[in-house]
Amino acid sequence: MGADDPDTLEPTACPTAGDIPMLGLGTWENTDADQCAESIRTALETGYRHIDTAQAYDNEAAVGDGIAAADVDREEVFLATKVWLSNLAPDDVLETTRESLDRLGVDAVDLLYVHWPAKTYDTEETLAAFSDLYDEGLIENVGVSNFLPEQLEAAVEVCDAPIVANQVELHPLLPQPELREACEVHDVEVVAYSPLARGGVFDHPTIQEIAAKHDVSEAQVSLAWLRENDVVAIPKATGVDHIRDNWASLSLELDPEDVAAIEAIDDRERTVDPDFGPWNQ
């Protein structure tokens, strides 16, 4: 059987990038409260230790319920959320982050992101508020999301608290080498959202060929490639089979020729492209 067969799944310790588990569970669009809580519980009891949510996802309470329901100590879970772009004025950062903590049912989150550098975002003022939350012990780490290299550099320069991660869309069809290099220069981990290109990797012939070669899913190939490049991945999954299949990617070791074939893909597809995205300004 292939490594993606749930019946063959063996517990696997998840590697980390710094303090961040390299495979997490994304929760975007997981807005059915019961389903969301159950997917969180399933993921944690499967072995995941990294859960990602956001104010804009409207599911922080359900995420908190899932963490509470799982047979896993809260201290073992790396929990991240994000401040929405309308809440990035300093007072709003402080107020809405406390509201997020209340919804999540936790005293602190392990990572708090600036969701987008847009609308009410101001490099100095917004990040000063994040530093205040860090100093108060309400957040363990500061992160940014959807930041271009120049925005990341400015943020690192002004933020009193260390910025540990930049969460961006990243997958074999959008590898973003320049951004990854900028993050490495600033000692910032790269966290990939939409790591399966919202299903796009399932239809790509190169990914399909490598998946067939190893008798695994295309999802596992994409996630293993990200791990090979020291990129944290947070694929969204709600059903047990997909949660377990993604987890099984930790057992997949790509051959050098597999990695080279993926690196040679020249198709490009950005699946998250709002008007306020910094690359559209």
Side-chain angles (χ1 to χ4, degrees):
M1 296 185 193
D4 59 339
D5 189 317
D7 293 333
T8 68
L9 189 63
E10 296 293 335
T12 306
C14 185
T16 61
D19 293 327
I20 307 175
M22 292 195 72
L23 182 63
L25 183 72
T27 62
W28 178 73
E29 286 191 332
N30 195 351
T31 54
D32 180 290
D34 291 340
Q35 175 182 270
C36 182
E38 180 62 15
S39 64
I40 299 296
R41 186 194 66 79
T42 298
L44 291 174
E45 294 184 358
T46 297
Y48 289 74
R49 291 296 181 267
H50 178 181
I51 305 296
D52 182 271
T53 184
Q55 293 175 351
Y57 298 172
D58 196 27
N59 63 8
E60 288 176 318
V63 168
D65 290 342
I67 293 172
D71 189 21
V72 174
D73 290 340
R74 163 67 185 102
E75 291 73 21
E76 296 182 30
V77 181
F78 188 93
L79 176 60
T81 192
K82 311 176 195 74
V83 180
W84 186 235
L85 51 83
S86 60
N87 298 329
L88 292 171
D91 289 345
D92 294 333
V93 169
L94 302 176
E95 179 180 354
T96 65
T97 298
R98 288 182 169 86
E99 292 170 350
S100 289
L101 297 179
D102 287 342
R103 286 190 293 268
L104 289 162
V106 298
D107 296 327
V109 289
D110 299 276
L111 179 57
L112 185 70
Y113 291 99
V114 175
H115 204 153
W116 291 87
K119 303 293 183 181
T120 58
Y121 174 72
D122 177 89
T123 304
E124 293 189 2
E125 293 184 359
T126 298
L127 292 173
F130 272 64
S131 294
D132 288 343
L133 292 167
Y134 175 83
D135 290 340
E136 290 182 51
L138 298 180
I139 66 175
E140 297 294 332
N141 294 286
V142 174
V144 296
S145 185
N146 299 296
F147 275 45
L148 298 177
E150 57 268 27
Q151 294 168 319
L152 177 64
E153 180 177 6
V156 168
E157 287 179 355
V158 306
C159 191
D160 291 336
I163 294 175
V164 303
N166 186 12
Q167 185 179 131
V168 298
E169 181 179 354
L170 206 152
H171 45 72
L173 307 183
L174 191 69
Q176 305 225 56
E178 296 85 4
L179 181 58
R180 284 155 48 197
E181 182 178 353
C183 289
E184 184 176 2
V185 166
H186 295 292
D187 197 24
V188 171
E189 301 296 343
V190 181
V191 178
Y193 70 73
S194 298
L196 309 181
R198 295 194 179 177
V201 299
F202 291 95
D203 300 321
H204 197 281
T206 298
I207 306 297
Q208 290 174 335
E209 290 171 10
I210 296 171
K213 169 185 171 182
H214 292 279
D215 191 21
V216 298
S217 69
E218 291 83 1
Q220 288 191 43
V221 172
S222 185
L223 296 173
W225 173 78
L226 288 165
R227 191 178 74 250
E228 181 75 22
N229 283 280
D230 296 321
V231 174
V232 176
I234 50 168
K236 168 194 166 185
T238 55
V240 173
D241 288 349
H242 286 160
I243 289 171
R244 290 180 175 174
D245 183 69
N246 292 341
W247 181 251
S249 70
L250 295 172
S251 299
L252 174 61
E253 294 295 334
L254 297 176
D255 300 328
E257 57 265 30
D258 300 330
V259 175
I262 295 172
E263 301 285 355
I265 292 173
D266 57 9
D267 301 300
R268 292 292 176 263
E269 179 182 355
R270 184 183 289 278
T271 67
V272 180
D273 194 19
D275 291 342
F276 54 77
W279 48 85
N280 288 324
Q281 302 309 306

